[in-house]
Amino acid sequence: MDDVRDVRIVEDVETLKALSDPLRLSILQAMSGAPADRSWTAKELARELGEPQTKLYRHLKHLEETGLILVAETRLVSGIVEQRYAAAQRRIELSRGFLASSAAGESEERDAALGLVNSALTSFERELADALRSGRVRLDDADERRRPMVMIADFRLAADRAEAYRMRLRQLIDELNAEPEDPDGVPVHLMLAMYSPDE
């Protein structure tokens, strides 16, 4: 699809709000995880996500209005207009400056930024739980490369060591974002997070 951008940089509150709903984020992840030329009907997405089809329509409309998805094809099926949707970008990045100003800014912007964090955590947790339940991922997989790696911990580190880890994570994130899409590659789901709260 020629209209699909490589990267969408999010710099506005409306798009941030659209991303702050776990179901909308799951819709985008399903579309982005599929081959680049794949488009989806609401029925196909409902089956993929295990959600009622009627529940998806307003979310699809919202994603379309914010330009995160596009109508790839429209056709008449048994007298009903059916639309096929595709992600409007291969990858989404949040403008670092915008996210920082949103988190510190007006209540509406801050709520949207916090909603996005919550949406991402909820979506990742749901996907991992579904993969474990279905057996697509196993904690005891004989192939160590297929076992999930999960770490949740609290540490007290020297400030310079904490900064060194933060920089290494930033470097890893930048490397992953620069990685070209491999149509023959294996799917990888990843969430990285680190923060140092004020005491």
Side-chain angles (χ1 to χ4, degrees), residues 3 16 19 21 25 35 40 53 58 69 77 83 87 93 100 121 126 131 136 143 150 154 180 187 197 199:
D3 297 344
L16 193 60
L19 292 169
D21 181 274
L25 200 55
W40 301 77
Q53 184 176 336
R58 71 180 176 87
I69 66 171
V77 179
Q83 293 182 315
E93 292 181 16
L121 291 169
R126 186 174 73 184
R136 291 179 292 124
D143 184 348
V150 177
D154 294 313
E199 292 187 285

Side-chain angles (χ1 to χ4, degrees), residues 20-139:
S20 68
D21 181 274
L23 183 52
R24 286 196 287 268
L25 200 55
S26 292
I27 291 168
L28 279 170
Q29 288 170 324
M31 289 180 174
S32 300
D37 60 348
R38 168 83 194 261
S39 61
W40 301 77
T41 63
K43 184 176 182 177
E44 291 167 342
L45 282 165
R47 189 171 43 247
E48 175 77 12
L49 299 173
E51 296 284 352
Q53 184 176 336
T54 53
K55 186 176 179 181
L56 297 186
Y57 288 113
R58 71 180 176 87
H59 293 290
L60 289 167
K61 187 72 176 161
H62 196 126
L63 289 167
E64 184 187 352
E65 286 170 353
T66 54
L68 290 164
I69 66 171
L70 50 87
V71 177
E73 180 186 347
T74 301
R75 63 185 186 150
L76 203 58
V77 179
S78 303
I80 298 171
V81 175
E82 178 186 76
Q83 293 182 315
R84 297 190 70 83
Y85 300 93
Q89 62 286 309
R90 290 180 181 80
R91 204 170 72 241
I92 295 173
E93 292 181 16
L94 303 176
S95 164
R96 291 181 195 169
F98 171 70
L99 191 57
S101 66
S102 293
E106 297 294 320
S107 172
E108 182 182 24
E109 294 172 336
R110 187 173 51 253
D111 289 349
L114 294 174
L116 175 58
V117 170
N118 184 58
S119 178
L121 291 169
T122 300
S123 179
F124 188 84
E125 180 272 332
R126 186 174 73 184
E127 288 173 8
L128 179 56
D130 287 348
L132 287 166
R133 250 190 308 279
S134 69
R136 291 179 292 124
V137 171
R138 292 185 25 218
L139 295 171

Side-chain angles (χ1 to χ4, degrees), residues 130-192:
D130 287 348
L132 287 166
R133 250 190 308 279
S134 69
R136 291 179 292 124
V137 171
R138 292 185 25 218
L139 295 171
D140 62 346
D141 199 309
D143 184 348
E144 188 175 326
R145 294 169 300 176
R146 292 189 40 82
R147 271 186 242 146
M149 294 172 56
V150 177
M151 177 182 179
I152 300 171
D154 294 313
F155 297 104
R156 287 198 73 85
L157 299 173
D160 62 329
R161 296 299 302 143
E163 180 60 13
Y165 280 110
R166 194 188 72 75
M167 293 303 293
R168 285 169 61 189
L169 284 173
R170 176 81 259 157
Q171 182 181 3
L172 179 59
I173 290 168
D174 290 343
E175 285 177 31
L176 287 164
N177 280 330
E179 195 70 34
E181 189 74 21
D182 183 349
D184 300 320
V186 297
V188 174
H189 298 271
L190 174 73
M191 173 169 270
L192 294 173

